[in-house]
Amino acid sequence: MSASEPRSAAAAKRFTGLGLVIALIALVLDQAVKILVERNMELGESFEVIPNFLDIHYILNPGAAFSMGEDFTIIFAILQAAVVVYVIFLLLRKVAVRTWAIILGCLLGGVAGNLTDRIFREPAFGFGHVVDMFSVQNFAIFNVADSFIVCSMIVVALMLIRGRNLDGTIGDAPAKKTNHGDDESTEPTA
């Protein structure tokens, strides 16, 4: 074991903690806004925030984006649970840089926010409706969790396009050279 291994393990733990704290902040913020809307608005109520652009419109969404897939709520809950488990795995085992910890923490918090609705809200466990409230004109009605999910996925795509790996390296790992006896560059020297 080299001297740098314990340091990278400690850094990885620190970044795991950072990702989990960001996820918790995103989850709490999402749920707090949803509770605030539920306590202060009637279902279906709307008010203008920015004229001709943004309204607060309280709805319950049984489906996915744009209320698609309303008959598959339990499937969305299962998929969201799988994403939560996978992102936690990545944070615990793969992430070794701050940038990825922040991005995956945002994704985890967003997915956990909507999964919390699916699990704990009416009509039933796993079939709960997601609370949405931000209505952008000629677009969709969404919530804080959706914002975290979309923004983090845009950054994930950019990071992958740029070749930024979870461990901080850039691009593909170098290919290992093998000694087949026909390549002088791979033969051991004396």
Side-chain angles (χ1 to χ4, degrees):
M1 182 176 352
S2 71
S4 65
E5 286 180 21
R7 185 174 38 205
S8 67
K13 284 183 182 180
R14 182 179 64 220
F15 295 135
T16 297
L18 173 65
L20 294 175
V21 166
I22 289 170
L24 181 62
I25 290 168
L27 173 63
V28 169
L29 181 61
D30 174 66
Q31 293 299 307
V33 170
K34 289 173 179 175
I35 290 168
L36 186 65
V37 166
E38 286 180 312
R39 289 187 179 167
N40 294 294
M41 295 179 72
E42 295 292 323
L43 187 60
E45 183 180 353
S46 180
F47 66 88
E48 195 172 63
V49 177
I50 302 172
N52 300 316
F53 179 69
L54 176 68
D55 295 342
I56 301 296
H57 185 123
Y58 173 26
I59 66 164
L60 296 175
N61 181 356
F66 307 106
S67 294
M68 293 186 300
E70 292 179 8
D71 295 331
F72 302 101
T73 303
I74 189 68
I75 302 298
F76 297 131
I78 292 167
L79 290 173
Q80 288 171 329
V83 169
V84 165
V85 169
Y86 184 65
V87 172
I88 290 172
F89 166 78
L90 291 176
L91 284 169
L92 291 172
R93 300 286 185 195
K94 302 288 183 182
V95 172
V97 291
R98 179 179 298 116
T99 308
W100 275 111
I102 292 168
I103 296 165
L104 292 178
C106 289
L107 177 61
L108 177 60
V111 173
N114 284 340
L115 179 60
T116 299
D117 287 6
R118 300 252 184 243
I119 293 173
F120 296 109
R121 294 192 188 279
E122 295 292 330
F125 181 86
F127 293 91
H129 295 178
V130 174
V131 175
D132 286 334
M133 75 287 300
F134 299 115
S135 177
V136 175
Q137 189 172 17
N138 300 317
F139 186 59
I141 302 176
F142 56 95
N143 59 41
V144 173
D146 297 334
S147 299
F148 274 99
I149 293 167
V150 169
C151 292
S152 63
M153 289 308 298
I154 289 169
V155 178
V156 164
L158 292 173
M159 294 287 282
L160 293 175
I161 288 168
R162 295 185 69 204
R164 305 288 180 172
N165 299 320
L166 294 169
D167 63 359
T169 60
I170 298 173
D172 294 332
K176 292 182 181 178
K177 291 186 177 184
T178 57
N179 186 357
H180 295 291
D182 56 350
D183 185 3
E184 291 179 18
S185 64
T186 59
E187 290 183 18
T189 57

